[in-house]
Amino acid sequence: MLPIKQILKNAAEVEKKLQTKDPSISLKELIESYQTFAENLTNLERLKEKLNALSKEIGKKKAAGEDASDVMKEVSSLKIQVKDLHDASSEDKSRYEARIAMLPNIPDENIKISLDPADNVCIKTIGEKRTFDFPIKNHLELGEQNQLFDFKRGAKISGSGFPVYTGIGAEIEWALINLMIDIHKKNGFKMHLVPHMVTPEVMYGCGQFPKFKGQAFHVHDKDYNHFLIPTAEPALNGLYMDEILDVDQPKKLVSYTPCFRREAGAHGKNERGLIRVHQFNKVELFAFCKPEDSDSVFDQIMASAEEVLQTLGLHYRNMLLVTGDMSFPASKTVDIEVFLPGQDRYYEVSSVSNCRDFQARRSKIRYKDKETGKNTFVHTLNGSGLATARLMVAILENFQNPDGTINIPDALKKYM
């Protein structure tokens, strides 16, 4: 969440920066609703002060044996005004808070301004695309030949977009998860296993709600009002909601979870199989730190995520996203993309973001600044380390042989 003081101080500049993410953003109604709220709140405090003074006057008159009926009538009238103004102020506050909650984070100053993902900047490339001297197969053909997946039975039990991994396919998937966790633990990330359902407040805190509420799977009955996590990020961020942390050393977390997303996106010939699904596995990296440490922690998350691909021997590139392609809470994002020969294009397997203090403000996560003695918002960062579905595709398609068999990366064999 953006601080209202920052918006009021320089509304034109803030609006201009936000429009680099979403040109439709206007701060006019937000500012008007906040000013109405602030004015009513000031008037409410004045009425309360007057009410307190009159109440004391009644006490004095009664103690002196004087008639206080006129003052009591004024107090009764004033109490009605206070209640009405309190109700109006509460409505104004809800109105302005709802509007500010819909504002994304401001991009960092050095991010390229564009709304077109085609303008994303390649900042690093590792390895080269494999060249094939035989007709290649896509992961669906390879999966069918080697009996790695069962999409039909997955659809039978849950609908389309819910794959079933079978036999060696399941073993490769589980090996990937174990390899990634081992790499990240080695790099200083503490392992967590978190719930797969969270409250609306947790989804709000990380910036998923209210803007993307329609994309989440909702579990709602008389006992529960929860949402299936789209990634471990909301749960990891939510661990420390309303807390003051010790972040002299950054808190670096890693968690494996299945991820659930209602909006699976467009479906074309390049979006079949594991490319875009409603449920997939992911190892998530998350960190809490002091503002001065967040750039360094960003590099640490990037390095740990890249180490997975380097260990597997996969070619990939890093893309610094333009303003209009970044996620709602991010100030800076780098996507790590692997090349999938069966689709003849690069696909994201990790998205690493620095959210600065945006999520911490929404979640009220702070630390005590030793120099000022003040409670200050932490910085939060997150990154996939990695999402397995497309990583599985990359392994199958890049390491296939002419007869359709697959060369399993050596790093995975000890887990299988």
Side-chain angles (χ1 to χ4, degrees), residues 259-389:
C259 303
F260 304 89
R261 299 186 183 181
R262 180 184 294 274
E263 186 54 60
H267 290 277
K269 67 178 182 178
N270 290 333
E271 306 291 334
R272 296 174 300 164
L274 296 176
I275 301 298
R276 198 174 293 276
V277 290
H278 290 302
Q279 178 181 333
F280 59 95
N281 294 311
K282 183 150 74 85
V283 173
E284 182 76 3
L285 303 173
F286 199 90
F288 305 86
C289 65
K290 294 184 288 188
E292 58 264 33
D293 293 333
S294 67
D295 288 331
S296 171
V297 173
F298 183 92
D299 292 340
Q300 293 173 42
I301 293 176
M302 283 293 304
S304 203
E306 288 184 67
E307 186 176 339
V308 173
L309 294 174
Q310 292 168 10
T311 301
L312 293 170
L314 286 167
H315 160 59
Y316 68 93
R317 68 183 186 182
N318 294 346
M319 304 295 290
L320 179 63
L321 302 193
V322 295
T323 54
D325 199 27
M326 285 196 294
S327 66
F328 183 82
S331 281
K332 174 185 178 180
T333 299
V334 173
D335 277 2
I336 303 176
E337 301 178 342
V338 293
F339 186 76
L340 306 183
Q343 282 61 236
D344 193 29
R345 58 168 289 187
Y346 288 92
Y347 271 94
E348 170 211 333
V349 291
S350 176
S351 190
V352 179
S353 295
N354 192 336
C355 297
R356 306 298 177 184
D357 65 1
F358 186 83
Q359 292 175 323
R361 286 182 180 276
R362 296 170 79 98
S363 303
K364 299 180 177 62
I365 307 173
R366 296 166 294 171
Y367 75 101
K368 186 173 289 294
D369 189 308
K370 292 183 176 179
E371 292 186 7
T372 65
K374 296 181 179 179
N375 291 331
T376 305
F377 290 108
V378 301
H379 277 197
T380 61
L381 305 94
N382 67 82
S384 307
L386 308 161
T388 62

Side-chain angles (χ1 to χ4, degrees), residues 247-265:
V247 285
D248 283 346
Q249 294 298 321
K251 284 185 177 295
K252 301 195 300 181
L253 288 58
V254 58
S255 183
Y256 155 70
T257 65
C259 303
F260 304 89
R261 299 186 183 181
R262 180 184 294 274
E263 186 54 60

Side-chain angles (χ1 to χ4, degrees), residues 54 57-58 61 67-77:
L54 290 175
E57 185 180 342
I58 291 173
K61 283 183 175 291
D67 180 17
S69 57
D70 289 345
V71 183
M72 291 173 69
K73 287 181 181 178
E74 187 175 356
V75 165
S76 296
S77 175

Side-chain angles (χ1 to χ4, degrees), residues 136-255:
I136 64 170
K137 297 178 179 180
N138 62 41
H139 75 284
L140 287 170
E141 296 167 315
L142 294 166
E144 183 175 356
Q145 176 179 330
N146 293 283
Q147 298 181 337
L148 306 178
F149 321 112
D150 195 332
F151 292 102
K152 290 182 179 179
R153 286 184 173 84
K156 180 169 70 173
I157 60 177
S158 299
S160 63
F162 294 90
V164 171
Y165 297 78
T166 62
I168 295 298
E171 288 195 41
I172 296 172
E173 180 79 357
W174 204 243
L176 282 169
I177 294 166
N178 279 276
L179 170 67
M180 292 188 286
I181 289 174
D182 281 353
I183 287 174
H184 302 317
K185 284 168 58 182
K186 172 182 68 71
N187 292 333
F189 292 84
K190 184 177 180 180
M191 186 174 172
H192 287 66
L193 290 177
V194 296
H196 301 163
M197 294 195 302
V198 296
T199 65
E201 291 77 18
V202 168
M203 294 288 273
Y204 172 88
C206 78
Q208 289 285 332
F209 288 0
K211 189 173 179 65
F212 304 108
K213 190 173 183 178
Q215 296 183 15
F217 284 99
H218 195 184
V219 179
H220 190 197
D221 58 28
K222 65 183 181 65
D223 297 315
Y224 293 96
N225 181 23
H226 286 66
F227 292 84
L228 294 175
I229 56 173
T231 164
E233 177 190 345
L236 294 172
N237 177 75
L239 289 174
Y240 296 104
M241 286 177 64
D242 299 306
E243 290 191 33
I244 298 174
L245 306 184
D246 177 3
V247 285
D248 283 346
Q249 294 298 321
K251 284 185 177 295
K252 301 195 300 181
L253 288 58
V254 58
S255 183

